[in-house]
Amino acid sequence: TNQIGKDAPNTWRTLTFDEWKYVVFNRPNASSLKGVAQVNGVNGLILLPDSWSCPADVTFKSGFHSSDGVEYYAAYQTFTAAEWSKFESAGAVFLPASGYRYGSGVDDVQYDGYYWSATADGSYNAYYLGFYSNHLSRSYAYRYYGLSVRLVQDL
């Protein structure tokens, strides 16, 4: 329910680079509103709403594991499908570690996640948000890479 962009209500779109930057780094309490986890067997990043209130019977640990690797998402924290349902009902968003596509191959599934922004960097590149079990980054890549897209809806 957070107003981020300037589009008309109920418009689906991709976040700009500055909006990703705000959500993951610059909003109040940003560091406590994100964390890596394995959810129902899938590695990824959890983003929480500004007004987060943890549901009963589950515990959320913000942040990242100190090591990089597929196994460290679950080592940091794990949630079942039933537990995730409670998180989702409370406004949490899950970004799977879906890797990337290059040509006909898909690499790094379950290892890292890359999500495009709507912001180009020159003629050939666009900015993205990337995460691993031990950190989060922002950068740019050639637009022919197959990175994930997370649509958002302005309310």
Side-chain angles (χ1 to χ4, degrees), residues 133-150:
S133 59
N134 67 340
H135 74 281
L136 188 63
S137 65
R138 304 174 321 262
S139 192
Y140 59 88
Y142 290 120
R143 288 189 245 175
Y144 57 75
Y145 279 99
L147 307 187
S148 297
V149 174
R150 171 67 169 137

Side-chain angles (χ1 to χ4, degrees), residues 6-26:
K6 295 178 179 70
D7 290 334
N10 302 312
T11 301
W12 287 98
R13 63 187 184 81
T14 304
L15 293 176
T16 66
F17 188 64
D18 286 342
E19 289 169 336
W20 272 121
K21 184 176 165 183
Y22 174 78
V23 168
V24 298
F25 295 107
N26 294 344

Side-chain angles (χ1 to χ4, degrees), residues 41-98:
V42 178
N43 295 336
L45 177 69
I46 295 174
L47 300 174
L48 304 175
D50 292 342
S51 58
W52 173 249
S53 180
C54 196
D57 304 325
V58 291
T59 303
F60 178 77
K61 181 169 55 169
S62 62
F64 297 82
H65 196 280
S66 59
S67 296
D68 181 26
V70 172
E71 66 275 17
Y72 296 112
Y73 290 89
Y76 195 71
Q77 62 189 336
T78 301
F79 300 106
T80 65
E83 290 168 329
W84 174 249
S85 180
K86 293 177 184 181
F87 275 80
E88 195 171 35
S89 294
V93 172
F94 182 67
L95 302 176
S98 52

